Amino acid sequence: MTDPDLHASPFPRYSWPGGKTSAFCFTVDVDAESPYLWGRKDAVPDALIGQMEQRLFGPRTGIWRLLDLLDRHAMKGTFFVPGLVAENHPALLPAFVARGHEVGLHGYFHEVVADIQDDEFVRALDESFAIFARQIGAKPTGFRSPAWEMTPFMLAELKRRDLYDSSLMGFDHPYTIDGVTEIPVQWAIDDAIYFKFVGSGADRWAPSSQTGVLDSWLDEWDVLKRERGLFMLTVHDWISGRAGRIRMLERLLESIANDPAVWIATVGEVARHHRSLGDGFSVTSRVPDAIGARRFKGAQ
Amino acid sequence: MTDPDLHASPFPRYSWPGGKTSAFCFTVDVDAESPYLWGRKDAVPDALIGQMEQRLFGPRTGIWRLLDLLDRHAMKGTFFVPGLVAENHPALLPAFVARGHEVGLHGYFHEVVADIQDDEFVRALDESFAIFARQIGAKPTGFRSPAWEMTPFMLAELKRRDLYDSSLMGFDHPYTIDGVTEIPVQWAIDDAIYFKFVGSGADRWAPSSQTGVLDSWLDEWDVLKRERGLFMLTVHDWISGRAGRIRMLERLLESIANDPAVWIATVGEVARHHRSLGDGFSVTSRVPDAIGARRFKGAQ
Amino acid sequence: MTDPDLHASPFPRYSWPGGKTSAFCFTVDVDAESPYLWGRKDAVPDALIGQMEQRLFGPRTGIWRLLDLLDRHAMKGTFFVPGLVAENHPALLPAFVARGHEVGLHGYFHEVVADIQDDEFVRALDESFAIFARQIGAKPTGFRSPAWEMTPFMLAELKRRDLYDSSLMGFDHPYTIDGVTEIPVQWAIDDAIYFKFVGSGADRWAPSSQTGVLDSWLDEWDVLKRERGLFMLTVHDWISGRAGRIRMLERLLESIANDPAVWIATVGEVARHHRSLGDGFSVTSRVPDAIGARRFKGAQ
Amino acid sequence: MTDPDLHASPFPRYSWPGGKTSAFCFTVDVDAESPYLWGRKDAVPDALIGQMEQRLFGPRTGIWRLLDLLDRHAMKGTFFVPGLVAENHPALLPAFVARGHEVGLHGYFHEVVADIQDDEFVRALDESFAIFARQIGAKPTGFRSPAWEMTPFMLAELKRRDLYDSSLMGFDHPYTIDGVTEIPVQWAIDDAIYFKFVGSGADRWAPSSQTGVLDSWLDEWDVLKRERGLFMLTVHDWISGRAGRIRMLERLLESIANDPAVWIATVGEVARHHRSLGDGFSVTSRVPDAIGARRFKGAQ
């Protein structure tokens, strides 16, 4: 009665290597104090140290728990590190590399895209490359945007430098946008939206129940693996390095890591695989249309 | 001791066809990028593409998963499609029709009712009809208001065109308002209020636990079926097309679709049934009273 | 080691009649459209009918389901009804009385206390008494404040009229404040804070999981019954008259109503009991101190 | 493959006394009416008593339930009491001491740190010491900041007076900051962020499910005990003294108190232990950097 060949998605199912039917990336956005400092860039200076201490829990304790968690599950992850965080905590990049993980770019000051001009984005990339070179003698191959926003200019700049991107949500498997390899993220499987809480009247909601979030993530996984999707988990040093979230992540990894059909890989490995597939899943970025101008014309 | 005949609801219990005791509609508001564009109609243009990509996940992937879900349960749904979305994604309307589903109107730009004048509503209907005619050669018989708001003018215009409405919440079974057949919606069984999340500081709450929402929906169903009600499920392409929500919807459909006492129908079929029942459950719309003027008079 | 006699609460445990160790009141704040109209008292008139329909679900359907629920559990409740709602829906007060329940005052326009002057409160009481007299020929003995706020003036006015109050939270059993019998409410066992959702961008959070709320309410009950407390359940016609909440309330009542140690009573019955106990649990109302003035003096 | 010795946290695992592998503190921030009064310090006076009654539930009933709960589990806690609360409720400090608990400082008016100058902090300490001396003839040894914020000046002042602090979140075991012993708190195991609800349109979210929060707290405990951490529970008299939260706390204590490897101690005992360990886990406070100034320089 229905004709799936004619009336189905124009995009085929995604292909994974080595007989795998889905993929899993464990990624850490190692923000530490950087978003707080960025958010205060125009603020009157004060001497409050509460939020600094909350966030410094990440480099002091949280990040090491996450590293140990990955070791216990023999998993390699990808750590996106703002330049400022690498500078302020010089033990981090060398430790990530020494323990076998991928490191990627995450802005210099964790610059929020809507706040900056194109040239500041370019300078942030340049400066971050310099820090990575100094600290680990290596050049990262991937970028994740602070707060997960992008512009066509940023995509063009990533393409010029042959970097993959991991900041957009247009599919739940790898794709290509404006010629850039995109390994997509998703709000629903990010820890910060559920668990970030900083006090001082700045929060709009309480932390979610970990049980409820874990159930939702396992549901996500159930369907992603049969739809040949990618589970792109994103956690943060100072949020998921807390004890309760480590427990929740263990439960998640126990479910996912033992599935023989899943390819557990770094984002860079997934990006290389996607490039090997050729031109499928390619789209062009769309900036918001000026609906105001069309509003009366279109409706006439 | 109590006298239910004298002191009960003035409205009798609802009647369903063919010995059924309740009904279920699966509806999709195929919003894709349209509410975001409408919300930015007066904004300074920018080049941010994050929210566009989030929403384009709907037409690229999400909507097809929802169609496959309906096929797996041999269910026909109703898809309310803004004119702009049909134009931007011309594969959609033909696919919905080819796969046996109903299509309905949902504004042209997903115009929020409080933002527009009466004439813009009329033009949006005209323009949408033209698009539906061009793309599928058919005239929809039903309307659902963007963001579920209505005015007496809109009801009168729907009546003039002999369209049913599915935007109000005055009962949890079909009714008639200002002479228009109303197949009611309900916030509690809409996916967006629980799961919509867009980032950029625009959200007021985190996504709910899917387990908790599913439990609440099954409770709703338990009582609706014994109260002879209608379960009007509403989901969105870019929200419930995500993997985790597909899993949740499967669980819901497994419970509901196997119940022999439920009539699973499109909204249009339910509207035709309601019209066949005659004049019961008929109410007149009420605009808010001017309480300010009555305030001192009434209390004197 | 500790001396509970010397270093315990100055208030003894509460006493219930007939060997009961705790009490349960089922109360309905029959708000229907009144808070919406009050909230718009200074607004520019508009023709939007969505919220009116949402709220009119209460008098049309929801309230009758709540009445049937009470009948199924052979329970008598207390219905607090704004004058405006009684006028707009004249079937309500007679039905509540005919089915054996208590009716109480709830303002005329559901006036929010912070918005009105003392004389408007007095006029709202006068006008409400007149409506109750006209519709059911009886004089209510209790008052519940819209939005659960009070002032010393209001308490004095209630005392002058010999009305009990049910609007404050200073204990979780009956008490006396400024000489007025107070049968206290509590946010944690009110339905509106968890489930009210109206759309139009007016909400700050999504509806809670019913499973989670029910669990919390049963926990509340577990300890209240051993602490000799009063479980003052408050629900609303247009919120808890919805199918899913009826299911949740059934589960709650199944737990509570079968407990032989609980006294299920109307608020008026509880108030009469409290008055029979004499002067215990008596406190004086406290308006907020002017801390600003004391700030430097006190800290010198 | 990885080298944990070279590439692990610079901080060793924490050491607990007597063969214990973790610790648990039950702390109560006895706020009662003080934060409400502080928040209104610049407000136009009004006669509303609702929030006062809500909060006075704490000294009247809630605090005594918490004391009884501790007695049932033979546990000693730490009660941080603002000077104003001790003055308004003179039964509290003597009862805490008589029942064997520690008492600590919590500001005079529950002053929010961002609102006050350094000299006001000093005066609040002086005044609070005077009240504690008058009421119980003893000098507290610890301080917890209202709303959990600190400045380097405050730390220096605590050091001068040889007080421990319990307001920061830089680790989840004791540490030393600017030479002050810090016994850290954590938002995730505070009751207020989940359960505080005051009405009057002031709330941004509904109370959480107690079941969900308890599950999250037990997860936190699972990992803290294996990571040699400290579970610093913080509750409030008027929030967790409510019946439902007492039930939840019972369930938590049943899990934790029976674990032979946990050291259940007052915060003061933990502080003394930490001082006995010498100089490990010592950090310097960091005020937020002026990123604005560095923004272009750093990125050039």
Side-chain angles (χ1 to χ4, degrees):
Chain A
M1 196 124 354
T2 67
D3 182 345
D5 295 319
L6 289 179
H7 301 289
S9 168
F11 299 99
R13 310 193 92 202
Y14 199 78
S15 295
W16 295 106
K20 302 295 186 178
T21 60
S22 62
F24 174 80
C25 292
F26 190 110
T27 67
V28 186
D29 288 4
V30 190
D31 289 352
E33 70 272 32
S34 61
Y36 177 63
L37 295 178
W38 181 258
R40 291 180 42 81
K41 66 185 186 305
D42 304 317
V44 177
D46 66 38
L48 303 179
I49 62 171
Q51 289 206 38
M52 291 298 289
E53 283 295 300
Q54 287 184 51
R55 289 173 166 278
L56 291 171
F57 176 85
R60 289 177 190 153
T61 298
I63 197 74
W64 309 99
R65 285 198 189 140
L66 291 168
L67 286 165
D68 291 349
L69 173 74
L70 287 171
D71 278 359
R72 286 200 299 280
H73 290 87
M75 224 180 246
K76 300 306 176 199
T78 302
F79 292 72
F80 295 100
V81 187
L84 180 79
V85 173
E87 285 198 315
N88 285 352
H89 309 284
L92 295 182
L93 284 183
F96 300 152
V97 171
R99 292 172 78 152
H101 304 291
E102 181 192 10
V103 292
L105 302 161
H106 197 42
Y108 180 78
F109 289 115
H110 200 274
E111 298 87 354
V112 172
V113 172
D115 292 351
I116 60 169
Q117 302 298 317
D118 293 342
D119 62 334
E120 193 161 5
F121 172 67
V122 172
R123 285 195 309 240
L125 281 183
D126 287 340
E127 181 72 8
S128 293
F129 271 116
I131 295 162
F132 278 63
R134 267 200 310 275
Q135 291 195 344
I136 53 171
K139 191 178 147 177
T141 64
F143 172 78
R144 174 168 287 169
S145 175
W148 297 358
E149 186 53 89
M150 291 295 288
T151 66
F153 175 86
M154 292 167 72
L155 287 172
E157 183 66 18
L158 296 187
K159 190 178 179 195
R160 202 177 64 78
R161 296 172 188 248
D162 200 28
L163 291 166
Y164 72 79
D165 181 53
S166 180
S167 318
L168 292 170
M169 310 190 196
F171 286 91
D172 49 16
H173 54 64
Y175 64 112
T176 305
I177 182 165
D178 293 1
V180 175
T181 298
E182 175 66 43
I183 314 300
V185 292
Q186 194 199 146
W187 287 125
I189 44 178
D190 166 63
D191 65 343
I193 71 167
Y194 302 106
F195 301 125
K196 182 184 166 190
F197 193 91
V198 299
S200 306
D203 306 284
R204 295 197 192 170
W205 55 85
S208 297
S209 150
Q210 283 159 14
T211 306
V213 173
L214 178 61
D215 284 352
S216 296
W217 288 3
L218 292 172
D219 276 1
E220 180 82 17
W221 173 239
D222 265 4
V223 171
L224 277 180
K225 69 182 174 184
R226 104 182 164 217
E227 293 283 345
R228 309 188 72 88
L230 165 68
F231 194 108
M232 172 64 82
L233 177 69
T234 304
V235 300
H236 294 74
D237 52 300
W238 65 285
I239 299 171
S240 281
R242 287 286 178 184
R245 282 98 201 214
I246 293 287
R247 191 70 192 92
M248 174 201 184
L249 291 175
E250 279 176 344
R251 291 201 176 96
L252 178 72
L253 296 190
E254 282 158 16
S255 289
I256 292 182
N258 294 322
D259 191 324
V262 61
W263 182 37
I264 298 174
T266 65
V267 185
E269 289 168 337
V270 172
R272 279 194 294 281
H273 164 69
H274 183 69
R275 285 167 178 163
S276 76
L277 290 182
D279 273 344
F281 310 100
S282 185
V283 300
T284 304
S285 70
R286 279 189 54 195
V287 297
D289 296 328
I291 231 182
R294 294 176 56 202
R295 187 172 165 191
F296 297 99
K297 183 183 120 335
Q300 263 170 353
Chain B
M1 197 128 350
T2 67
D3 182 346
D5 295 321
L6 288 179
H7 300 289
S9 169
F11 299 99
R13 308 192 93 203
Y14 200 79
S15 295
W16 295 105
K20 301 296 188 180
T21 60
S22 62
F24 174 80
C25 292
F26 190 109
T27 67
V28 186
D29 289 3
V30 190
D31 289 352
E33 70 272 33
S34 61
Y36 177 64
L37 295 178
W38 180 258
R40 291 179 43 81
K41 66 184 186 305
D42 304 316
V44 177
D46 66 39
L48 303 178
I49 62 171
Q51 288 207 38
M52 291 297 290
E53 284 294 300
Q54 287 183 52
R55 289 172 166 280
L56 292 171
F57 176 85
R60 288 177 190 154
T61 299
I63 197 72
W64 310 99
R65 284 196 190 142
L66 291 168
L67 285 165
D68 291 349
L69 173 74
L70 287 171
D71 277 359
R72 285 201 300 280
H73 289 88
M75 225 179 246
K76 300 304 176 200
T78 302
F79 292 72
F80 295 101
V81 187
L84 180 80
V85 172
E87 285 198 314
N88 284 353
H89 309 282
L92 294 182
L93 284 184
F96 300 151
V97 172
R99 293 172 76 152
H101 304 290
E102 181 191 9
V103 292
L105 302 161
H106 197 41
Y108 180 78
F109 290 116
H110 200 275
E111 297 88 354
V112 172
V113 172
D115 292 350
I116 60 170
Q117 302 297 318
D118 292 343
D119 62 334
E120 192 160 6
F121 172 66
V122 173
R123 286 195 309 242
L125 281 183
D126 287 340
E127 180 72 8
S128 292
F129 271 116
I131 295 163
F132 277 64
R134 266 201 312 275
Q135 291 195 344
I136 54 171
K139 189 178 147 177
T141 64
F143 172 79
R144 173 167 288 169
S145 175
W148 298 358
E149 187 53 89
M150 290 296 288
T151 66
F153 175 86
M154 291 167 73
L155 286 172
E157 183 65 20
L158 296 186
K159 190 178 179 194
R160 202 177 64 78
R161 297 173 188 247
D162 199 29
L163 291 166
Y164 72 79
D165 181 54
S166 180
S167 318
L168 293 170
M169 309 190 195
F171 286 91
D172 50 16
H173 55 65
Y175 65 111
T176 304
I177 181 164
D178 293 1
V180 175
T181 297
E182 175 66 43
I183 314 300
V185 292
Q186 194 199 144
W187 287 125
I189 44 177
D190 166 63
D191 65 343
I193 71 166
Y194 301 107
F195 301 125
K196 182 184 167 190
F197 193 91
V198 299
S200 306
D203 306 284
R204 293 196 194 171
W205 55 85
S208 297
S209 150
Q210 284 160 13
T211 306
V213 173
L214 178 61
D215 284 352
S216 296
W217 288 5
L218 292 172
D219 275 1
E220 180 81 16
W221 173 240
D222 265 4
V223 172
L224 277 180
K225 70 182 174 184
R226 103 181 165 217
E227 293 283 344
R228 309 188 73 87
L230 165 67
F231 193 109
M232 172 64 81
L233 178 68
T234 303
V235 301
H236 294 75
D237 51 300
W238 66 285
I239 299 171
S240 281
R242 288 286 178 183
R245 281 100 201 211
I246 293 287
R247 190 71 192 91
M248 176 201 182
L249 291 174
E250 279 176 344
R251 291 201 176 97
L252 179 72
L253 296 189
E254 282 158 17
S255 289
I256 293 182
N258 294 323
D259 191 325
V262 62
W263 182 37
I264 297 174
T266 64
V267 184
E269 289 168 336
V270 172
R272 280 193 294 280
H273 164 70
H274 183 69
R275 286 168 178 162
S276 75
L277 290 182
D279 272 344
F281 310 100
S282 185
V283 301
T284 304
S285 70
R286 279 189 54 195
V287 297
D289 295 328
I291 232 183
R294 294 176 55 204
R295 188 172 164 192
F296 297 100
K297 184 183 121 334
Q300 263 170 353
Chain C
M1 199 132 343
T2 68
D3 182 346
D5 295 320
L6 288 178
H7 301 288
S9 169
F11 300 100
R13 309 193 94 201
Y14 200 79
S15 295
W16 295 105
K20 302 295 187 179
T21 60
S22 62
F24 174 81
C25 292
F26 190 109
T27 67
V28 186
D29 288 4
V30 190
D31 290 350
E33 69 272 32
S34 61
Y36 178 63
L37 296 177
W38 181 258
R40 291 178 43 81
K41 66 185 187 305
D42 303 316
V44 177
D46 66 39
L48 303 179
I49 62 171
Q51 288 205 38
M52 291 298 289
E53 284 294 301
Q54 287 183 52
R55 288 172 165 280
L56 292 170
F57 176 85
R60 289 177 189 154
T61 298
I63 197 73
W64 309 100
R65 285 197 189 140
L66 290 169
L67 285 165
D68 292 348
L69 172 74
L70 287 170
D71 278 359
R72 285 200 300 280
H73 290 86
M75 225 179 246
K76 300 306 176 199
T78 301
F79 292 71
F80 295 101
V81 187
L84 180 80
V85 172
E87 285 199 314
N88 284 353
H89 308 284
L92 295 181
L93 283 184
F96 299 151
V97 171
R99 292 172 77 153
H101 303 291
E102 181 192 9
V103 291
L105 301 161
H106 196 41
Y108 180 79
F109 290 116
H110 200 274
E111 298 88 353
V112 172
V113 171
D115 292 350
I116 61 170
Q117 302 299 317
D118 292 343
D119 62 335
E120 192 160 6
F121 172 67
V122 173
R123 286 195 310 240
L125 281 183
D126 287 339
E127 181 72 8
S128 293
F129 272 116
I131 294 163
F132 278 63
R134 268 202 309 276
Q135 291 195 344
I136 53 171
K139 189 178 147 177
T141 63
F143 171 79
R144 174 168 287 170
S145 175
W148 297 358
E149 186 53 89
M150 290 296 288
T151 65
F153 175 86
M154 292 168 72
L155 286 172
E157 183 67 20
L158 296 187
K159 190 177 178 193
R160 202 178 63 79
R161 297 173 188 248
D162 200 29
L163 292 165
Y164 72 79
D165 181 54
S166 180
S167 318
L168 292 170
M169 309 188 196
F171 286 91
D172 49 17
H173 55 64
Y175 65 111
T176 304
I177 181 165
D178 292 1
V180 176
T181 297
E182 175 65 44
I183 315 299
V185 294
Q186 194 199 145
W187 287 125
I189 45 178
D190 166 63
D191 65 342
I193 70 167
Y194 302 107
F195 301 126
K196 182 184 167 190
F197 194 91
V198 299
S200 307
D203 306 284
R204 293 196 194 170
W205 55 85
S208 296
S209 150
Q210 283 160 15
T211 306
V213 172
L214 178 60
D215 284 352
S216 296
W217 288 3
L218 291 173
D219 275 0
E220 180 81 17
W221 173 240
D222 265 4
V223 172
L224 277 179
K225 69 182 173 184
R226 105 181 163 217
E227 293 283 345
R228 309 188 72 88
L230 165 67
F231 193 108
M232 171 63 81
L233 178 68
T234 304
V235 301
H236 295 75
D237 52 299
W238 65 285
I239 299 172
S240 282
R242 289 286 179 182
R245 281 101 202 209
I246 292 287
R247 190 72 192 90
M248 175 201 183
L249 291 175
E250 279 175 344
R251 292 202 175 96
L252 178 73
L253 296 189
E254 282 158 16
S255 289
I256 292 181
N258 294 322
D259 190 326
V262 62
W263 182 37
I264 298 174
T266 64
V267 184
E269 289 168 337
V270 172
R272 280 193 293 281
H273 164 69
H274 183 69
R275 285 167 178 163
S276 76
L277 290 182
D279 272 343
F281 310 100
S282 185
V283 300
T284 304
S285 69
R286 279 188 54 195
V287 297
D289 296 327
I291 230 183
R294 295 176 55 203
R295 187 173 166 191
F296 296 100
K297 183 184 123 329
Q300 264 169 352
Chain D
M1 198 125 354
T2 67
D3 182 345
D5 295 320
L6 288 178
H7 301 289
S9 169
F11 298 100
R13 309 193 93 201
Y14 200 78
S15 296
W16 295 106
K20 302 295 186 178
T21 60
S22 62
F24 174 80
C25 292
F26 190 109
T27 68
V28 186
D29 288 4
V30 190
D31 290 351
E33 70 272 31
S34 61
Y36 177 63
L37 296 177
W38 180 258
R40 291 180 42 82
K41 66 185 185 306
D42 303 316
V44 177
D46 66 40
L48 304 179
I49 62 171
Q51 288 206 38
M52 291 298 289
E53 283 295 299
Q54 288 183 52
R55 288 172 167 280
L56 292 171
F57 175 84
R60 289 178 190 152
T61 298
I63 197 75
W64 310 101
R65 285 197 189 140
L66 290 169
L67 285 165
D68 291 348
L69 173 75
L70 287 171
D71 278 358
R72 286 200 299 281
H73 289 87
M75 225 180 245
K76 300 306 176 200
T78 301
F79 293 72
F80 295 101
V81 187
L84 179 80
V85 172
E87 285 198 315
N88 284 352
H89 309 283
L92 295 182
L93 283 184
F96 300 151
V97 171
R99 292 172 78 152
H101 304 291
E102 182 192 10
V103 292
L105 302 161
H106 197 41
Y108 180 78
F109 290 116
H110 200 273
E111 298 87 354
V112 173
V113 172
D115 292 350
I116 60 169
Q117 302 298 317
D118 292 342
D119 62 334
E120 193 160 5
F121 172 68
V122 172
R123 285 195 309 241
L125 282 184
D126 287 339
E127 181 72 8
S128 293
F129 272 115
I131 295 163
F132 278 63
R134 268 201 308 277
Q135 292 196 343
I136 53 172
K139 190 178 146 178
T141 63
F143 172 79
R144 174 168 287 169
S145 176
W148 297 359
E149 186 54 88
M150 291 296 288
T151 65
F153 175 86
M154 292 167 72
L155 287 172
E157 183 66 19
L158 296 187
K159 191 178 178 194
R160 201 177 65 79
R161 295 171 188 250
D162 200 28
L163 291 166
Y164 72 80
D165 181 53
S166 179
S167 318
L168 292 170
M169 309 189 196
F171 287 90
D172 49 17
H173 54 65
Y175 64 111
T176 304
I177 181 165
D178 292 2
V180 175
T181 298
E182 175 66 43
I183 315 299
V185 293
Q186 194 199 147
W187 287 125
I189 45 179
D190 167 64
D191 65 343
I193 70 166
Y194 302 106
F195 301 126
K196 182 184 166 189
F197 193 91
V198 298
S200 306
D203 307 284
R204 294 197 193 170
W205 55 84
S208 297
S209 150
Q210 282 160 15
T211 305
V213 172
L214 178 61
D215 284 352
S216 297
W217 288 3
L218 292 172
D219 276 1
E220 181 81 16
W221 173 240
D222 264 4
V223 171
L224 277 180
K225 70 182 173 184
R226 102 181 165 219
E227 293 283 345
R228 310 188 72 87
L230 165 68
F231 193 109
M232 172 64 81
L233 178 69
T234 303
V235 301
H236 295 75
D237 52 300
W238 66 285
I239 300 172
S240 282
R242 288 285 179 183
R245 282 100 202 212
I246 293 287
R247 190 72 192 90
M248 175 202 184
L249 291 175
E250 280 175 343
R251 291 201 176 96
L252 179 72
L253 296 189
E254 283 159 16
S255 288
I256 293 181
N258 294 322
D259 190 325
V262 62
W263 182 37
I264 298 175
T266 65
V267 184
E269 289 167 336
V270 172
R272 280 192 293 281
H273 164 69
H274 182 70
R275 284 167 179 164
S276 76
L277 290 182
D279 274 343
F281 310 100
S282 185
V283 300
T284 303
S285 70
R286 280 187 55 194
V287 297
D289 296 328
I291 230 181
R294 294 175 56 203
R295 187 171 166 192
F296 297 100
K297 183 183 123 331
Q300 263 171 353

